[in-house]
Amino acid sequence: MQSNVCSLAVLADERPSERRPTGPDVGKPQAPEKTNYLLKADYRTTSVQKLLQLSDDEARAFFERIRWARLGEGRQVCPQCGSIDSHYWCKGPRRWKCRNKVCGHQFTVLQGTRLHGAKKTYQELLALLFEFVEGKDSVSSRQLSGKYDLAYHTAYVLGMKVREAIADSMKAEPKLTGYIQADAAYFMKYVRPGNVGTGAALAAKRDQKNAGLDSEGKTKNTVSPRMHALVVFVQTGPVGTRRYKVAVVKTENQVDLLTLGKEYCDREGLLTTDGHSGYNFYTGAFQQHYVVDHTTQFFTDEGMHTNLAEGFFSRMRSAQNGAWHKMTLAHIEEYGWEFAWRQTMVGRSNLEQLEDLLARMLNSGRSGRYADYWKKSAAAPSRVPDAEDDAVAMEVDKQSVPKKRGRPSADTVRPQVPERPKRKYTRKTSLTKGAGQMPQPPGDAQESPQSDRPQESPPGR
């Protein structure tokens, strides 16, 4: 009996205890940490220092490789006539010259691109684009202005040209296929409340029976009339294969959402949305439509969710608070396409992202919206006089005439305008005599003909 007790005690000592010790100095079990791709060494394949240390020929060759690599080694395309050949290289002006004898146009690798007419070196342009790549929550124009000694509007136009190139290139990509998530978020909604004062003014407002109502007794408008919704479509899949499409609508109405869905998504796609009524028409328009009721669940029984679309808007809100601070209806869609590109680039190294961004800048043509932002190109006059025309006057647009405002300076000489001669005033002698007749000028009056009847003598004679 004693041997059995001893054997049970030995087994109890050898058996591992299921209860973990507790206490402040006992740590939690080590879980495998998932390192973000931005923190890995594989992501850091280039830097600003490496880009600025490139020679002029190396930086130019980097641009040429991105733009003309698909044409073959040593071949370029002339932006004037479109001929593809091994064109002449001019060492003096450091330009290419078209081999076509009829054309003979000289061009650079930046001509006909979003960077057309840039006055920065190739190294500085690479560094500026790299700053845009590394700004994971976007980058402000003022930050680029102070960091690279640029005028604020120069940095602003460059950033908007980058966003414009991203939008134009991503809109031209094929439709989304497979499993697709769709969601929308409203921006520019906030309306700043009026000042209520302090002390007695605040106390009086609290005591008002109509607190929160306007002068007409109606509820005050707390939503801005400029509010619009940004709609995003996400093609799900492993990291590096996801694709995004965005668009701006006034509200989540069924007509606009169905139109955007057919424009951006393939008819054989499997769409997942929330329970908003604007997505009801997706049920018959696509192969399958999954609805996630966010009032009761985060994902359906089949495992469908909209987390990727909601994560997209999370990054947008972060950039709005940290970099932009203000959004307008004219640029909200371009900001959305910027983060559509950033989400697409997740998992790639910074050099791959820089090459992809530069390819979109060089292969999407010139900017149409920001090409002449400063409006320096003079407008042609409405009428150009001929050489044989003797006219001294020419029609000029009123808006093209510069206006000089303000007080004249001390050395300004004003032209002396001769005074106009005053009209001679002739006084009327009577209100009845000669009424209705124009007075005759003195000296020109003719003697009236004498009457044939005799003159009457005055009375009293």
Side-chain angles (χ1 to χ4, degrees):
M1 190 71 181
Q2 187 175 2
S3 60
N4 294 336
V5 173
C6 294
S7 60
L8 292 175
V10 171
L11 292 176
D13 293 339
E14 294 179 354
R15 185 186 306 162
S17 176
E18 296 180 358
R19 179 180 297 178
R20 296 180 60 255
T22 60
D25 49 330
V26 177
K28 295 182 179 180
Q30 295 283 338
E33 297 182 0
K34 185 177 180 180
T35 305
N36 191 288
Y37 79 101
L38 298 174
L39 306 179
K40 297 181 180 180
D42 297 340
Y43 171 78
R44 304 184 302 272
T45 52
T46 187
S47 62
V48 177
Q49 291 80 4
K50 294 180 181 178
L51 296 175
L52 292 177
Q53 291 175 0
L54 295 176
S55 63
D56 295 341
D57 294 337
E58 293 174 344
R60 177 179 52 80
F62 186 84
F63 277 82
E64 294 173 354
R65 178 177 62 85
I66 297 298
R67 184 178 184 185
W68 294 324
R70 67 183 187 279
L71 304 178
E73 185 177 359
R75 296 169 65 87
Q76 306 84 27
V77 56
C78 175
Q80 186 72 17
C81 64
S83 62
I84 301 175
D85 203 341
S86 298
H87 298 288
Y88 301 107
W89 171 250
C90 304
K91 295 183 179 180
R94 303 184 64 81
R95 295 170 177 266
W96 296 96
K97 184 177 180 181
C98 182
R99 193 176 284 269
N100 187 355
K101 296 182 179 180
V102 179
C103 178
H105 178 70
Q106 294 187 6
F107 58 93
T108 64
V109 68
L110 301 180
Q111 184 172 350
T113 67
R114 306 282 170 163
L115 299 175
H116 183 97
K119 299 180 181 179
K120 293 295 180 180
T121 62
Y122 293 112
Q123 297 90 327
E124 292 173 336
L125 291 176
L126 287 176
L128 287 169
L129 295 179
F130 186 77
E131 291 287 345
F132 187 88
V133 169
E134 286 296 326
K136 300 308 175 184
D137 288 336
S138 192
V139 58
S140 65
S141 303
R142 200 229 58 82
Q143 181 179 355
L144 293 178
S145 172
K147 201 169 184 179
Y148 290 91
D149 191 18
L150 300 174
Y152 170 77
H153 286 86
T154 302
Y156 169 78
V157 170
L158 177 61
M160 297 311 297
K161 282 184 178 181
V162 173
R163 297 181 178 97
E164 184 188 30
I166 291 174
D168 293 346
S169 59
M170 295 191 71
K171 286 179 182 178
E173 293 178 356
K175 293 184 177 182
L176 306 181
T177 58
Y179 289 95
I180 304 171
Q181 299 179 12
D183 198 5
Y186 285 89
F187 291 85
M188 301 176 295
K189 180 180 180 180
Y190 177 75
V191 177
R192 182 181 181 275
N195 297 331
V196 297
T198 58
L202 182 59
K205 184 175 179 63
R206 291 174 179 173
D207 296 339
Q208 285 180 353
K209 295 182 180 180
N210 60 344
L213 304 179
D214 57 8
S215 59
E216 299 180 357
K218 298 181 180 179
T219 305
K220 294 182 180 180
N221 184 18
T222 57
V223 177
S224 173
R226 300 183 297 108
M227 181 185 68
H228 279 68
L230 186 67
V231 186
V232 61
F233 297 89
V234 187
Q235 176 180 316
T236 63
V239 176
T241 61
R242 299 168 185 167
R243 296 169 53 214
Y244 289 73
K245 300 277 189 179
V246 297
V248 176
V249 294
K250 179 61 179 177
T251 58
E252 293 179 273
N253 59 82
Q254 296 178 347
V255 177
D256 290 343
L257 292 179
L258 181 61
T259 303
L260 292 174
K262 292 182 178 180
E263 180 181 357
Y264 288 154
C265 305
D266 189 77
R267 296 294 298 271
E268 300 298 326
L270 309 174
L271 269 74
T272 304
T273 64
D274 55 18
H276 195 278
S277 60
Y279 303 99
N280 290 345
F281 286 172
Y282 285 0
T283 302
F286 299 96
Q287 181 178 353
Q288 187 68 31
H289 179 209
Y290 299 95
V291 179
V292 183
D293 187 5
H294 284 165
T295 59
T296 59
Q297 58 186 357
F298 291 103
F299 52 89
T300 63
D301 297 337
E302 297 86 354
M304 300 299 176
H305 57 83
T306 59
N307 293 346
L308 294 179
E310 294 173 0
F312 171 85
F313 293 119
S314 178
R315 293 193 65 179
M316 285 279 296
R317 302 288 187 189
S318 179
Q320 182 182 7
N321 297 331
W324 306 329
H325 304 296
K326 181 182 178 182
M327 300 180 67
T328 59
L329 182 59
H331 304 300
I332 181 175
E333 186 172 347
E334 294 177 343
Y335 288 133
W337 282 110
E338 173 190 349
F339 273 90
W341 175 81
R342 293 188 185 278
Q343 291 289 84
T344 306
M345 292 291 108
V346 170
R348 304 186 186 184
S349 65
N350 54 8
L351 181 59
E352 292 177 346
Q353 297 184 27
L354 178 62
E355 292 177 348
D356 183 89
L357 181 63
L358 189 58
R360 298 178 186 273
M361 293 285 292
L362 298 179
N363 296 321
S364 57
R366 292 192 61 179
S367 174
R369 189 175 180 182
Y370 305 97
D372 190 19
Y373 182 80
W374 288 270
K375 301 185 184 304
K376 291 184 177 180
S377 59
S382 58
R383 176 179 176 272
V384 179
D386 299 331
E388 302 175 358
D389 193 356
D390 298 330
V392 295
M394 182 178 63
E395 296 181 7
V396 180
D397 186 13
K398 183 179 179 180
Q399 302 296 334
S400 63
V401 179
K403 298 179 181 180
K404 185 176 182 181
R405 301 182 181 273
R407 301 180 62 181
S409 57
D411 55 348
T412 302
V413 179
R414 293 187 175 182
Q416 299 295 331
V417 181
E419 296 184 359
R420 296 175 58 183
K422 295 183 178 180
R423 187 182 65 175
K424 190 174 182 179
Y425 174 70
T426 304
R427 183 180 180 182
K428 294 181 180 180
T429 58
S430 175
L431 297 177
T432 57
K433 184 179 180 179
Q437 299 180 3
M438 294 297 294
Q440 297 180 359
D444 297 342
Q446 299 179 0
E447 297 182 1
S448 59
Q450 297 181 358
S451 178
D452 296 336
R453 64 181 181 177
Q455 297 182 357
E456 297 181 1
S457 59
R461 278 188 161 182

